[in-house]
């Protein structure tokens, strides 16, 4: 361990002010993850399966000792049109929102975005019938 690494482990909030440039192996899909190509200094999730680890309370602070796997559960669009991923910790249920990186797997992002549409809480073939029931007034009629 060189001196720079040592400083990283002991200094609180190191990653808030320093880019996270180390590479790691994704605990979920086993893919080696390097920070190059992320399009930002912070690579906090795997670009292949988009999973992350619960290590932060605030983005970049590395102050959580949970260490659970953060699963990507949803995507949302920020005001500026930028996509962000909602991660949920499998162990403690914490939620966090993270910017997508330039090289994040686009198909995985799309599949997360499409999930609610593919698994609607009612049968899709009844959609027409339901629209009819609503009678264009937005309220259900009998
Ligand atoms: Zn992965
Ligand atoms: Zn957690």
């Amino acid at each position: 361990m060189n001196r720079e690494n040592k400083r990283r482990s002991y200094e609180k909030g190191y990653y808030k002010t320093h880019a996270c440039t180390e590479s790691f192996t994704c605990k979920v899909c086993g893919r080696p993850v390097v920070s190059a190509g992320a399009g930002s200094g912070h690579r906090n999730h795997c670009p292949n399966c988009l999973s992350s680890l619960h290590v932060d309370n605030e983005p970049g602070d590395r102050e959580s000792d949970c260490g659970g796997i953060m699963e990507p559960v949803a995507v949302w669009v920020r005001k500026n049109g930028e996509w962000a991923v909602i991660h949920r910790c499998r162990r403690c249920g914490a939620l966090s929102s993270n910017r997508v990186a330039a090289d994040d797997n686009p198909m995985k992002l799309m599949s997360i975005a499409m999930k609610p549409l593919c698994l609607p809480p009612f049968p899709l073939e009844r959609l027409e019938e339901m629209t009819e029931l609503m009678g264009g007034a937005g309220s259900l009629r009998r």
Side-chain angles (χ1 to χ4, degrees):
M1 189 186 260
N2 63 34
R3 193 185 288 167
E4 181 72 355
N5 277 340
K6 216 170 212 171
R7 202 152 73 91
R8 278 183 195 173
S9 0
Y10 293 116
E11 216 174 82
K12 267 194 171 185
Y14 179 92
Y15 288 101
K16 272 187 176 172
T17 48
H18 295 72
C20 174
T21 49
E22 69 211 45
S23 34
F24 57 95
T25 302
C26 175
K27 282 213 168 75
V28 179
C29 70
R31 197 180 142 116
V33 179
V34 292
S35 66
S40 83
H42 287 273
R43 156 83 76 203
N44 59 13
H45 55 263
C46 169
N48 181 47
C49 68
L50 308 183
S51 297
S52 168
L53 286 181
H54 191 190
V55 289
D56 296 342
N57 289 328
E58 302 277 326
D61 68 5
R62 295 293 190 276
E63 294 209 356
S64 172
D65 46 18
C66 170
I69 287 164
M70 303 285 285
E71 268 179 313
V73 291
V75 292
W76 64 288
V77 183
R78 297 183 176 191
K79 264 189 206 154
N80 56 9
E82 185 180 68
W83 276 37
V85 183
I86 306 287
H87 282 109
R88 186 175 183 278
C89 179
R90 264 188 215 168
R91 187 178 285 174
C92 73
L95 293 165
S96 79
S97 163
N98 295 285
R99 292 173 59 184
V100 299
D103 60 349
D104 277 352
N105 182 343
M107 290 317 289
K108 182 74 186 173
L109 283 171
M110 286 306 285
S111 83
I112 295 166
M114 298 301 284
K115 216 178 217 176
L117 299 180
C118 299
L119 298 168
F122 49 81
L124 264 188
E125 58 270 19
R126 290 198 55 203
L127 200 58
E128 199 181 350
E129 195 184 322
M130 289 168 74
T131 311
E132 230 163 71
L133 276 172
M134 286 163 78
S139 58
L140 283 169
R141 257 194 330 210
R142 277 180 192 272

